[in-house]
Amino acid sequence: MAQLNVNIDKLKLANPVLTASGTFGYGFEFDDFIDVNDLGGIVVKATTEEHREGNKYPRMAETPHGMLNAVGLQNKGIKYFRDEIYPKLRKYSTNVIANVSGSTVESYVAVAREMNQLDHIPAIELNISCPNVKEGGMAFGTSCASAQEVTKAVREVYDKTLIVKLSPNVTNIADIALAVEESGADAVSLINTLLSMAIDIRTQRPVLSTITGGLSGPAVKPVALRMVWQVAQAVKIPVIGMGGITNAEDAIEFLLAGATAIEVGTANFIDPQVTVKIINGINEYLEHTGCQSVNEIIGALKTK
Amino acid sequence: MHTKKQILDLQVIKHTSLNDHHAVLTCTSEKKLPTLLAGQFAEISAGDTAGTFLRRPFSIHDYNKDENTVSFLIQIKGNGSAIIGSLQPGEYMNVILPLGNSFSMPAQGEKVLLTGGGCGVAPLLLLAKSVIAAGASCDILIGARDEDNLMETEELSELGTLFTTTEDGSEGIQGFVTDHPVMQELKENYSKVYSCGPDPMMKAVATIAEASGVDCEVSLENTMACGIGACLCCVTETTEGHKCVCTDGPVFNSKELKWHN
């Protein structure tokens, strides 16, 4: 068995495999299929300050090797999370990371401040990249100034590991990554979904109730990989890579490109055991290539 | 009661074509199947092609514990269902089951009405068997576009009195299921109405049931990704806000639903 453990700031992961927010519920949904504690950690469904009903149905469209979603951050708000969900999450010994979203800087801060009090949540992932909400969300992640503003404000109230999740819907993602690094982020994760749409030609209407949505799945992997590589070149803080990872080979590509850890998203919908298979596959690759530790392949891409 | 969800490779042992776009696949498993309840469903993989990335949800059509078999009524609508619906005996499909809640069972001695529209008959076969196993009885009312799309009539007629409607009048009463005379005397004859079919049909059945003071349970079919309550894509609007059809349903009491639009 090769050494699979990696560190993201103060966060110690037993292996580099995490789950992407919004694709893994709160972990409980997968208890029938895997031991969630086998994972490096889980990033649970986004939490906002207030209860959100999310967008109207239809919220999903299947596209070639991918899917569009327009869930719109449906969740019951931070108080419900703290009082009802968090106590149940304490059963997990692995890292439970909260995804924090908002519509104003103040609402991000309010959620982050509450999360800071929760002992069993060692890190938050600041979601400045959700394409499916009318206010906030991606708007914060598409300019350096607003990304800096929200990251700085949250940094002031959050003491533990602060990961900022970046939007791919920008001209230069490395600039945004540098901006949040300067503002106190301990790590960046990318990519969130790509703004996209699908049309039903029989009805001549958009498939999604919101017209546009976020594309995920294997279709986005080459774009995600390129962005992870660009960001890893630009910043000194750890990069968490995601976007269409479906098997160990995909995960290893992201590690080679410079990701210290990866998140598995849409693939959980097709195979609820895929995360464990990816961990095993990374280990096999390391043993096969004679590596003692996964750290030997992180950023090891040969370009010359 | 929570039955552990399983990922299984099922082997098709029988393929029964019902018409040019519907088939019943009877499958078995090397492992013992978990207990399957009427109203529950499975997420079936059609393999990974450009057009069949996600699993497809299908109702449990029939389940035989002793023979360790489960069957699905497949409506061929697109690429995914075409692949699944064309599987032949000896071939395998990967499924996750059991998923979702189930129909509530009537008390012993009660009589209930099962209504189905088109391929909405899918969950009614196991439902009728379960109702009888619970010591209750049922009548069954199914409707379709035409005679060719009235499915599983022989099997269903063995489980209760079968009434039929067709839109073109080629079989049974002409019109929708709601045009059938049995819908006019619900309170007199039935303690509960169950419905599965297109949304407008279920809504129409539910409206009559509610007006008659008879409880109505409907089985919804929304577009799903995960089927296990993780993605929140398949929601329906209820009196308590958005609920997942895959985990809070697919069976809902009609009074909970706001129906789309």
Side-chain angles (χ1 to χ4, degrees):
Chain A
M1 185 90 187
Q3 288 186 335
L4 293 177
N5 56 302
V6 296
N7 295 339
I8 302 283
D9 181 49
K10 296 181 285 289
L11 199 62
K12 294 188 185 329
L13 308 182
N15 61 67
V17 178
L18 305 165
T19 59
S21 179
T23 67
F24 206 71
Y26 294 102
F28 318 131
E29 295 82 352
F30 290 77
D31 284 339
D32 276 1
F33 304 106
I34 58 170
D35 182 350
V36 169
N37 291 325
D38 286 345
L39 310 182
I42 60 173
V43 185
V44 300
K45 177 77 190 151
T47 302
T48 53
E49 185 178 17
E50 306 292 341
H51 171 105
R52 284 182 61 91
E53 270 300 305
N55 294 320
K56 283 186 181 299
Y57 179 86
R59 292 177 168 185
M60 196 278 285
E62 189 177 24
T63 57
H65 298 296
M67 62 175 271
L68 275 55
N69 89 80
V71 172
L73 302 179
Q74 180 180 323
N75 79 100
K76 292 187 173 170
I78 181 63
K79 285 192 181 66
Y80 184 88
F81 177 85
R82 183 192 65 200
D83 299 338
E84 304 294 332
I85 299 168
Y86 174 68
K88 293 178 194 154
L89 286 169
R90 295 183 64 95
K91 74 171 182 173
Y92 293 128
S93 58
T94 190
N95 294 293
V96 177
I97 300 168
N99 182 285
V100 170
S101 199
S103 49
T104 60
V105 171
E106 293 71 29
S107 62
Y108 278 100
V109 168
V111 179
R113 187 178 278 132
E114 285 286 346
M115 291 292 183
N116 200 44
Q117 306 301 317
L118 306 180
D119 296 341
H120 206 69
I121 306 278
I124 59 171
E125 182 180 63
L126 201 62
N127 182 356
I128 58 167
S129 44
C130 176
N132 293 324
V133 288
K134 283 201 188 103
E135 291 171 341
M138 193 176 90
F140 284 101
T142 49
S143 92
C144 289
S146 55
Q148 269 181 320
E149 186 192 1
V150 68
T151 306
K152 276 182 185 163
V154 167
R155 180 75 284 177
E156 280 182 24
V157 302
Y158 193 75
D159 305 325
K160 294 179 274 183
T161 300
L162 173 60
I163 304 161
V164 179
K165 187 170 182 177
L166 305 180
S167 171
N169 304 301
V170 294
T171 312
N172 187 339
I173 196 166
D175 287 346
I176 310 282
L178 284 166
V180 302
E181 179 181 40
E182 278 173 23
S183 308
D186 298 312
V188 287
S189 60
L190 62 142
I191 58 173
N192 205 319
T193 55
L194 282 151
L195 192 60
S196 51
M197 67 189 286
I199 294 171
D200 183 338
I201 61 167
R202 288 165 304 170
T203 58
Q204 302 188 344
R205 298 180 63 84
V207 178
L208 299 175
S209 68
T210 47
I211 304 176
T212 62
L215 176 65
S216 64
V220 311
K221 198 196 83 178
V223 177
L225 193 60
R226 182 267 294 178
M227 289 186 163
V228 164
W229 179 72
Q230 285 180 323
V231 168
Q233 300 289 305
V235 300
K236 295 185 185 69
I237 52 177
V239 175
I240 301 171
M242 80 192 91
I245 296 175
T246 302
N247 52 43
E249 289 76 12
D250 293 340
I252 292 160
E253 286 188 53
F254 279 83
L255 296 172
L256 288 168
T260 300
I262 58 101
E263 292 181 15
V264 181
T266 305
N268 290 306
F269 300 155
I270 298 147
D271 180 1
Q273 299 173 329
V274 69
T275 43
V276 172
K277 291 175 185 169
I278 289 173
I279 295 167
N280 293 337
I282 293 172
N283 181 55
E284 280 170 29
Y285 175 82
L286 295 173
E287 289 185 345
H288 185 72
T289 53
C291 293
Q292 303 289 315
S293 161
V294 68
N295 286 292
E296 292 170 43
I297 65 165
I298 292 168
L301 184 71
K302 298 167 185 162
T303 53
K304 291 195 178 87
Chain B
M1 186 192 70
H2 177 81
T3 303
K4 190 174 175 179
K5 301 177 192 83
Q6 298 186 22
I7 307 174
L8 293 172
D9 286 316
L10 300 184
Q11 186 180 35
V12 178
I13 53 172
K14 192 174 165 199
H15 174 121
T16 310
S17 182
L18 302 179
N19 54 42
D20 61 1
H21 51 284
H22 291 90
V24 171
L25 300 182
T26 306
C27 309
T28 189
S29 164
E30 279 182 26
K31 285 175 69 181
K32 188 175 178 294
L33 291 168
T35 299
L36 304 173
L37 303 174
Q40 290 186 310
F41 68 99
E43 278 268 51
I44 304 180
S45 168
D48 187 11
T49 77
T52 63
F53 174 64
L54 299 167
R55 290 172 183 268
R56 288 0 189 205
F58 291 97
S59 292
I60 306 295
H61 180 51
D62 202 0
Y63 163 60
N64 189 315
K65 188 177 184 176
D66 298 333
E67 293 177 12
N68 202 41
T69 57
V70 54
S71 68
F72 305 98
L73 195 165
I74 310 292
Q75 181 190 25
I76 295 166
K77 260 167 94 173
N79 294 334
S81 53
I83 291 169
I84 296 164
S86 63
L87 291 172
Q88 296 302 315
E91 294 187 294
Y92 286 85
M93 60 185 184
N94 185 266
V95 307
I96 303 177
L97 82 185
L99 300 174
N101 64 359
S102 56
F103 292 108
S104 66
M105 283 299 118
Q108 203 166 358
E110 286 186 358
K111 190 173 189 185
V112 297
L113 179 67
L114 280 49
T115 64
C119 68
V121 299
L124 300 190
L125 186 64
L126 183 58
L127 175 58
K129 290 182 178 179
S130 305
V131 163
I132 291 165
S137 63
C138 63
D139 287 346
I140 302 153
L141 167 62
I142 61 172
R145 280 204 308 276
D146 53 32
E147 186 183 5
D148 194 37
N149 284 288
L150 284 172
M151 295 177 285
E152 300 292 75
T153 49
E154 241 175 74
E155 289 76 3
L156 290 169
S157 62
E158 290 170 10
L159 302 166
T161 304
L162 181 69
F163 304 105
T164 57
T165 63
T166 51
E167 286 168 48
D168 69 355
S170 53
E171 173 69 41
I173 303 261
Q174 182 165 10
F176 298 117
V177 290
T178 42
D179 296 321
H180 199 283
V182 297
M183 290 297 295
Q184 308 311 313
E185 297 187 323
L186 293 180
K187 186 77 180 170
E188 292 80 350
N189 297 318
Y190 307 108
S191 62
K192 186 178 260 189
V193 176
Y194 299 88
S195 189
C196 185
D199 277 4
M201 172 247 166
M202 289 191 285
K203 189 178 175 183
V205 169
T207 302
I208 295 174
E210 285 171 25
S212 314
V214 178
D215 224 26
C216 179
E217 284 185 13
V218 302
S219 175
L220 301 186
E221 183 192 49
N222 279 6
T223 309
M224 286 178 191
C226 71
I228 59 174
C231 71
L232 311 186
C233 287
C234 65
V235 293
T236 189
E237 282 184 53
T238 74
T239 51
E240 295 173 5
H242 279 136
K243 285 193 174 182
C244 280
V245 167
C246 68
T247 46
D248 297 310
V251 178
F252 292 89
N253 189 296
S254 64
K255 286 177 185 158
E256 278 183 74
L257 298 176
K258 291 189 166 176
W259 303 98
H260 306 305
N261 308 313

PDB file of all heavy atoms in Angstrom, chain B residues 180-190 208 212 214:
ATOM      1  N   HIS B 180     -64.724   7.006 -16.971  1.00  0.00           N
ATOM      2  CA  HIS B 180     -65.338   5.703 -16.694  1.00  0.00           C
ATOM      3  C   HIS B 180     -66.334   5.804 -15.532  1.00  0.00           C
ATOM      4  O   HIS B 180     -66.062   6.483 -14.536  1.00  0.00           O
ATOM      5  CB  HIS B 180     -64.254   4.671 -16.359  1.00  0.00           C
ATOM      6  CG  HIS B 180     -64.733   3.265 -16.499  1.00  0.00           C
ATOM      7  ND1 HIS B 180     -65.535   2.669 -15.547  1.00  0.00           N
ATOM      8  CD2 HIS B 180     -64.564   2.343 -17.485  1.00  0.00           C
ATOM      9  CE1 HIS B 180     -65.827   1.436 -15.941  1.00  0.00           C
ATOM     10  NE2 HIS B 180     -65.244   1.218 -17.122  1.00  0.00           N
ATOM     11  N   PRO B 181     -67.474   5.117 -15.633  1.00  0.00           N
ATOM     12  CA  PRO B 181     -68.500   5.194 -14.576  1.00  0.00           C
ATOM     13  C   PRO B 181     -67.986   4.850 -13.174  1.00  0.00           C
ATOM     14  O   PRO B 181     -68.492   5.403 -12.196  1.00  0.00           O
ATOM     15  CB  PRO B 181     -69.558   4.175 -15.019  1.00  0.00           C
ATOM     16  CG  PRO B 181     -69.374   4.033 -16.486  1.00  0.00           C
ATOM     17  CD  PRO B 181     -67.933   4.307 -16.774  1.00  0.00           C
ATOM     18  N   VAL B 182     -66.970   3.972 -13.042  1.00  0.00           N
ATOM     19  CA  VAL B 182     -66.518   3.620 -11.690  1.00  0.00           C
ATOM     20  C   VAL B 182     -65.977   4.833 -10.945  1.00  0.00           C
ATOM     21  O   VAL B 182     -65.980   4.864  -9.714  1.00  0.00           O
ATOM     22  CB  VAL B 182     -65.447   2.490 -11.650  1.00  0.00           C
ATOM     23  CG1 VAL B 182     -65.988   1.196 -12.197  1.00  0.00           C
ATOM     24  CG2 VAL B 182     -64.165   2.909 -12.342  1.00  0.00           C
ATOM     25  N   MET B 183     -65.526   5.837 -11.712  1.00  0.00           N
ATOM     26  CA  MET B 183     -64.983   7.049 -11.074  1.00  0.00           C
ATOM     27  C   MET B 183     -66.096   7.896 -10.443  1.00  0.00           C
ATOM     28  O   MET B 183     -65.814   8.788  -9.653  1.00  0.00           O
ATOM     29  CB  MET B 183     -64.201   7.894 -12.096  1.00  0.00           C
ATOM     30  CG  MET B 183     -62.882   7.285 -12.553  1.00  0.00           C
ATOM     31  SD  MET B 183     -61.665   7.069 -11.221  1.00  0.00           S
ATOM     32  CE  MET B 183     -61.333   8.760 -10.764  1.00  0.00           C
ATOM     33  N   GLN B 184     -67.355   7.597 -10.825  1.00  0.00           N
ATOM     34  CA  GLN B 184     -68.469   8.383 -10.289  1.00  0.00           C
ATOM     35  C   GLN B 184     -68.942   7.881  -8.928  1.00  0.00           C
ATOM     36  O   GLN B 184     -69.680   8.560  -8.229  1.00  0.00           O
ATOM     37  CB  GLN B 184     -69.663   8.364 -11.273  1.00  0.00           C
ATOM     38  CG  GLN B 184     -69.320   8.762 -12.707  1.00  0.00           C
ATOM     39  CD  GLN B 184     -68.519  10.041 -12.782  1.00  0.00           C
ATOM     40  OE1 GLN B 184     -68.871  11.033 -12.131  1.00  0.00           O
ATOM     41  NE2 GLN B 184     -67.428  10.038 -13.559  1.00  0.00           N
ATOM     42  N   GLU B 185     -68.540   6.688  -8.561  1.00  0.00           N
ATOM     43  CA  GLU B 185     -69.021   6.116  -7.294  1.00  0.00           C
ATOM     44  C   GLU B 185     -67.868   5.634  -6.428  1.00  0.00           C
ATOM     45  O   GLU B 185     -67.885   4.520  -5.903  1.00  0.00           O
ATOM     46  CB  GLU B 185     -69.989   4.963  -7.590  1.00  0.00           C
ATOM     47  CG  GLU B 185     -71.230   5.427  -8.321  1.00  0.00           C
ATOM     48  CD  GLU B 185     -72.271   4.324  -8.456  1.00  0.00           C
ATOM     49  OE1 GLU B 185     -71.865   3.156  -8.666  1.00  0.00           O
ATOM     50  OE2 GLU B 185     -73.473   4.633  -8.332  1.00  0.00           O
ATOM     51  N   LEU B 186     -66.890   6.480  -6.282  1.00  0.00           N
ATOM     52  CA  LEU B 186     -65.696   6.087  -5.524  1.00  0.00           C
ATOM     53  C   LEU B 186     -66.006   5.858  -4.050  1.00  0.00           C
ATOM     54  O   LEU B 186     -65.639   4.845  -3.466  1.00  0.00           O
ATOM     55  CB  LEU B 186     -64.606   7.173  -5.654  1.00  0.00           C
ATOM     56  CG  LEU B 186     -64.007   7.358  -7.046  1.00  0.00           C
ATOM     57  CD1 LEU B 186     -62.955   8.468  -7.005  1.00  0.00           C
ATOM     58  CD2 LEU B 186     -63.370   6.068  -7.553  1.00  0.00           C
ATOM     59  N   LYS B 187     -66.681   6.836  -3.456  1.00  0.00           N
ATOM     60  CA  LYS B 187     -66.947   6.784  -2.017  1.00  0.00           C
ATOM     61  C   LYS B 187     -67.770   5.539  -1.658  1.00  0.00           C
ATOM     62  O   LYS B 187     -67.534   4.908  -0.628  1.00  0.00           O
ATOM     63  CB  LYS B 187     -67.690   8.065  -1.610  1.00  0.00           C
ATOM     64  CG  LYS B 187     -67.918   8.217  -0.121  1.00  0.00           C
ATOM     65  CD  LYS B 187     -66.660   8.663   0.599  1.00  0.00           C
ATOM     66  CE  LYS B 187     -66.884   8.826   2.091  1.00  0.00           C
ATOM     67  NZ  LYS B 187     -65.609   9.017   2.809  1.00  0.00           N
ATOM     68  N   GLU B 188     -68.709   5.201  -2.555  1.00  0.00           N
ATOM     69  CA  GLU B 188     -69.591   4.065  -2.299  1.00  0.00           C
ATOM     70  C   GLU B 188     -68.817   2.745  -2.333  1.00  0.00           C
ATOM     71  O   GLU B 188     -69.150   1.805  -1.624  1.00  0.00           O
ATOM     72  CB  GLU B 188     -70.714   4.001  -3.346  1.00  0.00           C
ATOM     73  CG  GLU B 188     -71.719   5.144  -3.271  1.00  0.00           C
ATOM     74  CD  GLU B 188     -71.231   6.429  -3.934  1.00  0.00           C
ATOM     75  OE1 GLU B 188     -70.031   6.511  -4.298  1.00  0.00           O
ATOM     76  OE2 GLU B 188     -72.032   7.368  -4.081  1.00  0.00           O
ATOM     77  N   ASN B 189     -67.793   2.658  -3.176  1.00  0.00           N
ATOM     78  CA  ASN B 189     -67.170   1.363  -3.454  1.00  0.00           C
ATOM     79  C   ASN B 189     -65.751   1.154  -2.931  1.00  0.00           C
ATOM     80  O   ASN B 189     -65.324   0.015  -2.772  1.00  0.00           O
ATOM     81  CB  ASN B 189     -67.153   1.114  -4.965  1.00  0.00           C
ATOM     82  CG  ASN B 189     -68.563   1.026  -5.538  1.00  0.00           C
ATOM     83  OD1 ASN B 189     -69.439   0.402  -4.931  1.00  0.00           O
ATOM     84  ND2 ASN B 189     -68.792   1.664  -6.666  1.00  0.00           N
ATOM     85  N   TYR B 190     -65.041   2.254  -2.718  1.00  0.00           N
ATOM     86  CA  TYR B 190     -63.607   2.080  -2.419  1.00  0.00           C
ATOM     87  C   TYR B 190     -63.155   2.891  -1.209  1.00  0.00           C
ATOM     88  O   TYR B 190     -63.628   4.009  -0.987  1.00  0.00           O
ATOM     89  CB  TYR B 190     -62.767   2.500  -3.639  1.00  0.00           C
ATOM     90  CG  TYR B 190     -63.191   1.805  -4.914  1.00  0.00           C
ATOM     91  CD1 TYR B 190     -63.858   2.506  -5.928  1.00  0.00           C
ATOM     92  CD2 TYR B 190     -62.945   0.441  -5.095  1.00  0.00           C
ATOM     93  CE1 TYR B 190     -64.260   1.870  -7.086  1.00  0.00           C
ATOM     94  CE2 TYR B 190     -63.352  -0.203  -6.258  1.00  0.00           C
ATOM     95  CZ  TYR B 190     -64.010   0.514  -7.251  1.00  0.00           C
ATOM     96  OH  TYR B 190     -64.404  -0.117  -8.389  1.00  0.00           O
ATOM     97  N   ILE B 208     -61.004  14.079  -8.575  1.00  0.00           N
ATOM     98  CA  ILE B 208     -62.285  13.384  -8.366  1.00  0.00           C
ATOM     99  C   ILE B 208     -62.276  12.665  -7.010  1.00  0.00           C
ATOM    100  O   ILE B 208     -63.242  12.736  -6.244  1.00  0.00           O
ATOM    101  CB  ILE B 208     -62.562  12.381  -9.513  1.00  0.00           C
ATOM    102  CG1 ILE B 208     -62.744  13.151 -10.834  1.00  0.00           C
ATOM    103  CG2 ILE B 208     -63.796  11.520  -9.209  1.00  0.00           C
ATOM    104  CD1 ILE B 208     -62.881  12.248 -12.055  1.00  0.00           C
ATOM    105  N   SER B 212     -64.613  13.379  -3.803  1.00  0.00           N
ATOM    106  CA  SER B 212     -65.469  12.304  -3.298  1.00  0.00           C
ATOM    107  C   SER B 212     -65.136  11.939  -1.862  1.00  0.00           C
ATOM    108  O   SER B 212     -65.766  11.043  -1.285  1.00  0.00           O
ATOM    109  CB  SER B 212     -65.316  11.039  -4.169  1.00  0.00           C
ATOM    110  OG  SER B 212     -65.361  11.359  -5.536  1.00  0.00           O
ATOM    111  N   VAL B 214     -62.330  10.489  -0.905  1.00  0.00           N
ATOM    112  CA  VAL B 214     -61.587   9.234  -0.878  1.00  0.00           C
ATOM    113  C   VAL B 214     -60.098   9.557  -0.978  1.00  0.00           C
ATOM    114  O   VAL B 214     -59.677  10.375  -1.793  1.00  0.00           O
ATOM    115  CB  VAL B 214     -62.007   8.309  -2.050  1.00  0.00           C
ATOM    116  CG1 VAL B 214     -61.183   7.021  -2.049  1.00  0.00           C
ATOM    117  CG2 VAL B 214     -63.484   7.997  -1.961  1.00  0.00           C
TER     118      VAL B 214
END
